[in-house]
Amino acid sequence: MTETQILNYALNQFAGIDAAAFELSAPYWQRKTYGKGEFYNEYKNVCKYLGFILDGVFRTYYIDDESAEEKNVFFFSKNQVVVAYKSFVTQTPCSYYTESMTESTILYIHINHLTELYGKSHHWERFGRLVAETAFNLAMNRAEEFMFRTPEQRYLELIQNHPDIFNNVPLYHIASYLGIQAPSLSRIRKRMVGK
């Protein structure tokens, strides 16, 4: 499948974007490659693009004011959308950094083009609603992970959502995402292998 066909299929699965609706968007999608450590979006910048990951992994993080530590909040990987959701939807400055963890390739669309598509097609309007719902669910799930799930449960969910994460992301970033120290992550991994 070509990159465009992969994107078309993913949008159809996510929001029911049919071939005719996809054709409306075809001229707007651009391809971009990121090197490891390059930023998709930076702190205090307004996120103007929604990206579909063809290959690679991104992380969203903030820097803790007291400890100056980077705290990982989200990972985005192959066949997922990468976007600073709140900043993108509200067009306000972002509170996070979103960085490529590997060589990564995305197809992206500008907010102005997406807004134009909302006015042209109910399919795209639905897509916009689903993006907002996904952002809300992602934020709520992340908050609830820390309230109601053990580190082991968070670990298993991470592997389910990002199967290749351990091949692409250093363990200290994964530990930060899980809200634990690296030695605790090693113990969890050992226990899970033993099961």
Side-chain angles (χ1 to χ4, degrees), residues 46-110:
V46 175
C47 183
K48 301 254 184 225
Y49 302 97
L50 179 138
F52 177 77
I53 303 171
L54 296 169
D55 195 37
V57 178
F58 292 82
R59 72 175 174 130
T60 294
Y61 70 95
Y62 68 96
I63 298 176
D64 184 274
D65 288 337
E66 290 180 24
S67 68
E69 286 181 53
E70 295 176 0
K71 303 286 187 176
N72 293 301
V73 182
F74 300 112
F75 287 114
F76 304 101
S77 54
K78 186 176 181 176
N79 296 328
Q80 294 181 337
V81 168
V82 60
V83 65
Y85 282 109
K86 181 181 173 190
S87 176
F88 183 75
V89 170
T90 62
Q91 285 299 280
T92 57
C94 188
S95 301
Y96 305 98
Y97 298 88
T98 301
E99 174 189 26
S100 180
M101 298 297 297
T102 63
E103 297 291 318
S104 301
T105 304
I106 68 167
L107 293 173
Y108 69 90
I109 190 167
H110 192 278

Side-chain angles (χ1 to χ4, degrees), residues 3-177:
E3 292 175 349
T4 304
Q5 289 171 326
I6 292 167
L7 176 64
N8 189 356
Y9 176 79
L11 293 174
N12 182 274
Q13 294 298 302
F14 176 70
I17 301 289
D18 63 18
F22 184 76
E23 276 307 306
L24 291 173
S25 76
Y28 301 140
W29 292 97
Q30 302 294 314
R31 185 179 197 274
K32 182 162 180 166
T33 301
Y34 291 85
K36 181 179 179 178
E38 281 188 63
F39 288 99
Y40 175 81
N41 200 66
E42 291 191 63
Y43 177 69
K44 297 286 186 189
N45 286 353
V46 175
C47 183
K48 301 254 184 225
Y49 302 97
L50 179 138
F52 177 77
I53 303 171
L54 296 169
D55 195 37
V57 178
F58 292 82
R59 72 175 174 130
T60 294
Y61 70 95
Y62 68 96
I63 298 176
D64 184 274
D65 288 337
E66 290 180 24
S67 68
E69 286 181 53
E70 295 176 0
K71 303 286 187 176
N72 293 301
V73 182
F74 300 112
F75 287 114
F76 304 101
S77 54
K78 186 176 181 176
N79 296 328
Q80 294 181 337
V81 168
V82 60
V83 65
Y85 282 109
K86 181 181 173 190
S87 176
F88 183 75
V89 170
T90 62
Q91 285 299 280
T92 57
C94 188
S95 301
Y96 305 98
Y97 298 88
T98 301
E99 174 189 26
S100 180
M101 298 297 297
T102 63
E103 297 291 318
S104 301
T105 304
I106 68 167
L107 293 173
Y108 69 90
I109 190 167
H110 192 278
I111 182 72
N112 293 347
H113 292 138
L114 202 50
T115 302
E116 181 185 319
L117 290 168
Y118 296 161
K120 288 183 177 179
S121 162
H122 289 297
H123 290 283
W124 284 104
E125 210 173 41
R126 181 173 190 265
F127 174 83
R129 178 181 54 80
L130 289 173
V131 166
E133 287 176 4
T134 299
F136 175 78
N137 286 331
L138 194 61
M140 286 302 298
N141 286 342
R142 190 74 178 120
E144 289 175 354
E145 283 178 359
F146 285 96
M147 290 188 283
F148 306 122
R149 293 189 189 100
T150 65
E152 288 86 357
Q153 291 168 323
R154 294 194 299 268
Y155 169 85
L156 291 172
E157 191 168 315
L158 176 66
I159 291 173
Q160 180 182 355
N161 292 331
H162 306 280
D164 296 327
I165 194 94
F166 285 98
N167 297 331
N168 296 306
V169 176
L171 291 181
Y172 67 93
H173 283 304
I174 294 170
S176 167
Y177 173 84

